[in-house]
Amino acid sequence: MAFWFVDCCCYREDWAKKLVHWKGEFVSTLQHYWLGSKLLWADVRISSRLLLKLAGGKSLSRRERQQLTRTTADIFRLVPFAVFIIVPFMEFLLPVFLKLFPNMLPSTFQDKMKEQVINYQEFLGRMLLVHHFYFILKSYQIRENIF
């Protein structure tokens, strides 16, 4: 038992570095969610104007329709997310539920890096498909002596 206590005391500098790192992560996470909340509120305001336009009998452009659909979906995703904020200490379970249900957060709360990774994976898939079709056409050209 005393061995564990000596081990913890010896690495005080390491603990200080970890606490500074955790504090920075906590602050950046709070800033991320604050910015996401502001963006969601702006989307809701714009979508409410679009709903008034739609109720007035005017048609929406494709971009306006997409924004209205995305914002409506974000509002419905916000309901389970609000439970984590309202219930005390349930926010500690938020990372677990985000791992189980990755699309639970509204789109304004999504991290840009995650979006870039998804776009890159789609790009690699498309390039693999293009590469596959290229070799199919090359083999067809060799068999048929075209060109």
Side-chain angles (χ1 to χ4, degrees):
M1 188 73 160
F3 206 35
W4 176 80
F5 180 73
V6 170
D7 193 32
C8 286
C9 292
C10 291
Y11 302 122
R12 192 169 283 212
E13 301 86 23
D14 292 339
W15 278 102
K17 288 178 186 177
K18 286 181 183 181
L19 286 176
V20 168
H21 173 72
W22 290 338
K23 180 183 175 190
E25 288 290 321
F26 181 74
V27 168
S28 68
T29 302
L30 285 178
Q31 289 173 345
H32 175 73
Y33 286 125
W34 175 249
L35 180 64
S37 300
K38 288 180 6 181
L39 288 172
L40 182 64
W41 178 248
D43 281 349
V44 167
R45 281 194 328 227
I46 292 169
S47 294
S48 64
R49 291 184 198 135
L50 292 176
L51 276 174
L52 290 175
K53 182 179 175 181
L54 194 62
K58 297 180 181 175
S59 62
L60 298 176
S61 68
R62 181 183 61 84
R63 183 175 290 167
E64 290 172 336
R65 218 174 324 114
Q66 284 177 343
Q67 180 167 4
L68 184 62
T69 304
R70 186 185 70 236
T71 305
T72 305
D74 285 347
I75 290 171
F76 284 125
R77 286 184 193 143
L78 192 63
V79 173
F81 180 67
V83 172
F84 286 97
I85 303 302
I86 294 171
V87 176
F89 300 108
M90 196 164 176
E91 59 268 7
F92 295 117
L93 291 176
L94 186 60
V96 174
F97 278 89
L98 286 177
K99 202 64 156 168
L100 294 174
F101 308 105
N103 293 329
M104 187 176 83
L105 284 180
S107 63
T108 55
F109 290 88
Q110 296 296 326
D111 196 9
K112 289 293 180 187
M113 185 60 124
K114 182 179 177 184
E115 185 177 323
Q116 288 176 349
V117 167
I118 291 171
N119 288 341
Y120 184 70
Q121 288 173 347
E122 288 178 3
F123 171 74
L124 287 179
R126 289 181 182 145
M127 290 304 295
L128 186 64
L129 192 61
V130 166
H131 190 70
H132 179 70
F133 284 140
Y134 174 77
F135 279 112
I136 288 175
L137 288 175
K138 276 293 191 187
S139 66
Y140 180 72
Q141 287 175 354
I142 292 171
R143 273 190 291 154
E144 299 296 324
N145 291 328
I146 298 176
F147 298 109

